[in-house]
Amino acid sequence: MKAEAALDWHGIGARYRRLADGAESARLRDLGRRPWTLDAAGVDVAWGLGGDATRTLLAGVRRVPSGSAPPGEGTALPWGTVFEAAVARIAAQARAPALALGGGLDAAAVLVAWCQSGAPPPRVLTLSTGLAGYDEVDAARRIAAACGARCEVVEAPPSAWLEALPCAVASVETPLYNLHPVGRYLLAREARRRGHDTLITGDGADAAFAALPDLDYVPLIAALGAATAWRCVHRSSRATC
């Protein structure tokens, strides 16, 4: 069976393989045989309880690790090649992109791939919190400079975090276990205010490198970004967020 063109949570080609005959598909349900039989270990993995990350909800069907993705009918491409191609595609399509940069490797890798694509660099933004030991401004500036980009600082003192917290919680419709998503909300809100229609981040990279779907943080960040865009267009209420 030919692998279909589809993307998983991280923009990588999603593939599943049936152990009985080696058939592959981008859709899990195509490989199951009715009546479907659940894999108890796969259910544990889906609920974040650990175990083999290749296990799926269906018995006898495994996830093909995200280390490669099919370019068509040929052999699989290395993950790095797929990653660079995905970034280049975004760079070519985004009208007014901004990149949220911190001091780690995740967004830095996106920026490097972006610059290698030959596209003009995105506007690079980093958050200054005023919280001792939490700012990554200096590291973000060094990373941006190494890539030939200028890093702009978005000031977000603790009072801004407290002000935005109710709107952030309402946007994701779930309690937050720490304030990091609020910081992403503040940065997304400022990016939208400056006229950007695309915010690129490194969120979810840890799960992607482990070949696991990020069913927690990435959906929260997506919801916060969408809510920010909506509120910036529809300011019919008196809410300050």
Side-chain angles (χ1 to χ4, degrees), residues 3-37:
E4 301 173 57
L7 300 179
D8 64 12
W9 286 86
H10 310 103
I12 306 298
R15 284 189 298 160
Y16 302 94
R17 179 179 298 130
R18 188 164 55 213
L19 300 181
D21 56 8
E24 293 189 5
S25 175
R27 297 190 303 177
L28 182 60
R29 67 173 180 267
D30 288 346
L31 299 178
R33 290 173 175 167
R34 296 176 184 270
W36 290 330
T37 303

Side-chain angles (χ1 to χ4, degrees), residues 97-120:
L99 183 140
L101 185 63
L105 294 177
D106 303 344
V110 175
L111 182 57
V112 170
W114 190 295
C115 294
Q116 288 180 340
S117 73

Side-chain angles (χ1 to χ4, degrees), residues 71-84:
E73 298 183 0
T75 57
L77 292 174
W79 187 92
T81 302
V82 177
F83 170 73
E84 291 174 354

Side-chain angles (χ1 to χ4, degrees), residues 9-169:
W9 286 86
H10 310 103
I12 306 298
R15 284 189 298 160
Y16 302 94
R17 179 179 298 130
R18 188 164 55 213
L19 300 181
D21 56 8
E24 293 189 5
S25 175
R27 297 190 303 177
L28 182 60
R29 67 173 180 267
D30 288 346
L31 299 178
R33 290 173 175 167
R34 296 176 184 270
W36 290 330
T37 303
L38 292 180
D39 181 348
V43 173
D44 285 345
V45 171
W47 279 102
L49 300 180
D52 182 359
T54 67
R55 302 296 283 260
T56 71
L57 296 175
L58 297 184
V61 181
R62 297 298 175 89
R63 179 188 304 275
V64 178
S66 299
S68 61
E73 298 183 0
T75 57
L77 292 174
W79 187 92
T81 302
V82 177
F83 170 73
E84 291 174 354
V87 173
R89 184 170 61 252
I90 296 172
Q93 295 174 352
R95 180 181 61 84
L99 183 140
L101 185 63
L105 294 177
D106 303 344
V110 175
L111 182 57
V112 170
W114 190 295
C115 294
Q116 288 180 340
S117 73
R123 191 173 196 171
V124 179
L125 303 176
T126 194
L127 203 64
S128 177
T129 67
L131 301 174
Y134 196 76
D135 271 348
E136 297 180 328
V137 173
D138 292 341
R141 281 175 167 164
R142 288 194 296 269
I143 293 170
C147 295
R150 185 172 71 90
C151 183
E152 301 180 25
V153 177
V154 174
E155 299 291 344
S159 59
W161 291 61
L162 291 175
E163 178 187 4
L165 179 58
C167 287
V169 173

Side-chain angles (χ1 to χ4, degrees), residues 187-198 225 228-229 232-233:
L187 190 65
R189 187 175 69 178
E190 178 61 19
R192 173 64 62 172
R193 190 190 69 80
R194 297 186 184 191
H196 298 287
D197 63 351
T198 303
T228 301
C232 286
V233 175

